[in-house]
Amino acid sequence: MTAEAHAIRTVEQLLAVLDLDSTQARTTEDIFTGSSHPMPTGRIYGGQVLAQTLLAAERTLPEDRAVHSMHGYFLRPGDATQGLTIAVDRIHDGRSFSTRRSQAYQNGVPIFSMIASFQDHDPGVEHAVPMPEGIPSPESLRPDEDRVDGLPEGTRRMLSDRAADVRHVDSPLFLPSSDEKVPAQAVWMRLRAPLPDDPRLHRAALAYLSDMTIQESILRAHGVYWALPGLKVASLDHAMWWHRPARVDDWLLYVQESPNARGGRGLAQGRIYTRDGVLAASVAQEIMIRVPSQD
C-alpha cells in the first residue's frame, strides 16, 4: 500500500467512526449509536467520544448554529470492542443560543457526559493572543512514528495507523528525553488526508485532535514519559472553546502548558492555531496522574 493510500485509509476509518446512526427509539432524548476505533489498550480514545457526543448534539440543531463551548467529564473507561449509545437532551433553544446535554453509554451506564452551547453567527468585539514566534515549520520536523526508535514495533504501527499526523517540536514523550523539564510544549498536527467541507465535521474532528498530547505538558514538567513502567494517567474532564473556523486537514499548531499539578491531578491548557496564526480554539483538561516512586 502506498503512503497516500494508507493516509486516506486512516482518515476513512475515522470518518466511519464519526458517522453516527440515528435511531427511532426516543424517550425525552434523541438517541444515536456509534462504534469505536480498535485500540491496543482496549479502552476508547477520549477524543473519539468527545467528537461523537458533539456530533450527536449538532445533529439536533440547524447547521448554522455552531458549537462554541463544551464541558465534559470522563466517567468510566470505555470498551473499544463495544458500540456506544449516545443520548442528547435538548435542554434549551433560545433566539441566539442553544444548550445540549450529550451522554455516551455502554452497558447501560454513562462513560462520558458533556454540556455544550451553540450560537448563531453574531459579530462583536474581537481580539486573540497571537501565535508564539520562532516555532519550526511542520515540514522541518519528522512525524512522531519516525522518532520512536526503541519502542515496540506495535507502538510505531499504532502511531502510523492513527488518522492524525502529529509532530512534536521537542522530543516526543514516548521514551525518556534529555529535554529541559518545563511544563510546556508545542505540537503540529493535521489529519493525514482531506475531509469533506462540512464545518460540523471539522469542529468535531478538532475536538478529536484536542485530546491528543494535551496531557504531556504535565508529564514534561517532571521528566515523565508514556513508557515509564507503572505510570497511570487518566483524563478526568475536558473543556473546549471554538473561536474561529479551522480545517483539520491543514496544519494546526497546538501550544500547551500546565499551570498546576497537585494531589495526584494535573491541569493542562492549550491553544490551537491555524498555520497562518489564527486562534481557532482553546482547551483545558485535568488528568489523574500517578507516577511510580523513583527511589
Side-chain angles (χ1 to χ4, degrees), residues 6-287:
H6 177 73
I8 292 172
R9 188 190 70 175
T10 63
V11 174
E12 287 177 342
Q13 291 170 340
L14 170 60
L15 290 173
V17 168
L18 297 183
D19 186 18
L20 303 177
D21 291 327
S22 59
T23 74
Q24 299 303 312
R26 258 191 127 256
T27 53
T28 58
E29 300 175 328
D30 299 86
I31 306 298
F32 302 86
T33 59
S35 59
S36 292
H37 288 303
M39 294 293 289
T41 64
R43 292 188 174 189
I44 293 175
Y45 162 58
Q48 173 201 305
V49 73
L50 280 171
Q52 288 172 315
T53 52
L54 174 62
L55 275 174
E58 294 250 25
R59 293 264 292 269
T60 69
L61 290 155
E63 291 188 17
D64 56 355
R65 186 160 286 193
V67 65
H68 68 87
S69 70
M70 66 78 58
H71 302 262
Y73 281 88
F74 297 97
L75 304 174
R76 296 174 176 86
D79 183 348
T81 67
Q82 298 185 29
L84 299 100
T85 299
I86 301 170
V88 180
D89 185 0
R90 305 189 186 202
I91 294 176
H92 176 71
D93 287 302
R95 288 185 297 176
S96 300
F97 290 86
S98 292
T99 307
R100 296 290 186 268
R101 180 172 56 238
S102 190
Q103 297 195 108
Y105 291 83
Q106 284 188 319
N107 299 317
V109 295
I111 64 169
F112 179 75
S113 179
M114 80 165 190
I115 290 183
S117 182
F118 304 79
Q119 182 189 17
D120 295 338
H121 175 71
D122 192 5
V125 298
E126 185 165 335
H127 72 272
V129 175
M131 185 168 74
E133 298 180 353
I135 302 291
S137 70
E139 291 83 4
S140 69
L141 303 169
R142 288 186 296 159
D144 281 359
E145 57 265 29
D146 294 340
R147 302 173 69 185
V148 291
D149 292 340
L151 281 180
E153 180 58 32
T155 301
R156 184 192 301 270
R157 187 166 56 252
M158 178 190 72
L159 296 176
S160 62
D161 283 349
R162 62 186 177 183
D165 183 346
V166 180
R167 304 186 182 193
H168 282 72
V169 172
D170 298 307
S171 300
L173 285 186
F174 304 108
L175 291 167
S177 169
S178 60
D179 292 342
E180 183 181 1
K181 295 180 181 179
V182 293
Q185 69 172 15
V187 179
W188 287 102
M189 53 178 57
R190 69 173 177 182
L191 292 189
R192 297 182 188 272
L195 281 191
D197 292 334
D198 184 352
R200 294 177 299 182
L201 192 56
H202 284 266
R203 291 191 292 267
L206 192 62
Y208 179 91
L209 293 177
S210 73
D211 191 39
M212 284 188 182
T213 74
I214 181 66
Q215 309 86 359
E216 292 179 352
S217 58
I218 302 163
L219 275 60
R220 196 175 290 276
H222 301 277
V224 176
Y225 54 97
W226 288 112
L228 179 67
L231 175 67
K232 294 183 179 180
V233 174
S235 300
L236 299 174
D237 62 6
H238 194 94
M240 186 168 179
W241 298 263
W242 288 257
H243 306 310
R244 297 168 183 84
R247 293 193 65 94
V248 295
D249 46 15
D250 290 337
W251 284 113
L252 299 164
L253 179 66
Y254 202 173
V255 180
Q256 304 160 359
E257 62 183 7
S258 173
N260 185 74
R262 185 178 184 276
R265 303 184 317 278
L267 176 63
Q269 299 171 338
R271 301 189 305 276
I272 301 176
Y273 292 90
T274 65
R275 182 161 188 169
D276 55 358
V278 174
L279 181 59
S282 298
V283 182
Q285 183 179 108
E286 189 172 44
I287 66 170

